[in-house]
Amino acid sequence: MPRAGLSRAEVVRAGAELADEIGFANLSMGSLAEKLSVRTPSLYKHVASLAELQHDIATLAMSQADILIRDAMHGLSGTEALRAFAHAFGDYVAAHPGRYNAINAAGFTGPGDPLLESSGRVIDSIAAVLRGYGIPEADMDHAVRTLRCAFHGFAALQASGGFHWTGDPQDSYEWMISFIDRGLRSTDR
């Protein structure tokens, strides 16, 4: 029997919260049912499978990240846009590690997939940062991938506790942003 008032959106939101709490890899329909105080079969009235729930969590997460990133970057260019992007991205991953892992685990279901649409907007935000440095369109795919790899790599290492030596990882993050900024400003156009 589904809990009165339980909706697909509530199931997905609760799944996202649980993924942040216990880790995306540990998310199950059983653990989500327990969190929502329902029986596991009740969840299938709202999502067809764990895979569908995971995709919906990824979609929610990418949409949230997209809004935070665009809001942070609004009206900025060059170094300021790079810093705004880096901090919005880093803050989102730190606050929502399970959701971020959902994004990285998800695949696109087709052209109308809302995950694809919100992912495209995040890529557009990265491209906007790069255009502020005068990166030519012919180099845009390479430059977008480079920035994505740098910030994703740092976030993934930090989320997994990969920085075991002395010093504050946030200082290293700031250093990385400055390093990337200097590199982008020195690009031979």
Side-chain angles (χ1 to χ4, degrees):
M1 183 87 154
R3 191 177 85 199
L6 189 62
S7 67
R8 181 182 183 101
E10 186 177 355
V11 168
V12 172
R13 181 197 50 75
E17 290 172 0
L18 188 58
D20 288 338
E21 292 167 18
I22 67 172
F24 181 70
N26 299 318
L27 179 65
S28 69
M29 295 299 269
S31 61
L32 180 56
E34 186 177 321
K35 178 179 178 68
L36 290 169
S37 301
V38 299
R39 293 179 358 158
T40 302
S42 298
L43 295 176
Y44 292 101
K45 296 183 185 318
H46 304 286
V47 292
S49 65
L50 178 60
E52 184 176 286
L53 173 65
Q54 292 169 331
H55 186 271
D56 286 357
I57 291 169
T59 301
L60 172 66
M62 187 61 83
S63 296
Q64 291 172 335
D66 166 44
I67 291 166
L68 288 173
I69 289 167
R70 283 189 294 136
D71 286 353
M73 291 176 50
H74 185 76
L76 303 176
S77 65
T79 302
E80 292 81 17
L82 175 65
R83 287 192 180 288
F85 169 82
H87 287 287
F89 174 83
D91 291 349
Y92 186 81
V93 174
H96 303 292
R99 294 174 210 208
Y100 183 67
N101 284 334
I103 290 169
N104 292 312
F108 302 124
T109 60
D113 185 348
L115 177 60
L116 178 62
E117 293 170 11
S118 55
S119 295
R121 288 189 300 272
V122 171
I123 297 300
D124 289 345
S125 292
I126 297 170
V129 168
L130 294 165
R131 280 188 204 96
Y133 287 95
I135 301 297
E137 287 301 316
D139 293 336
M140 196 57 70
D141 284 347
H142 306 303
V144 166
R145 286 180 182 132
T146 298
L147 279 189
R148 184 168 180 248
C149 288
F151 291 113
H152 165 76
F154 195 98
L157 284 168
Q158 188 167 25
S160 68
F163 299 123
H164 298 288
W165 54 90
T166 61
D168 184 354
Q170 198 56 40
D171 291 341
S172 297
Y173 196 65
E174 293 297 330
W175 188 92
M176 182 180 79
I177 295 167
S178 295
F179 182 78
I180 291 169
D181 175 60
R182 286 190 307 274
L184 288 169
R185 283 188 283 117
S186 69
T187 302
D188 184 20
R189 294 178 208 41

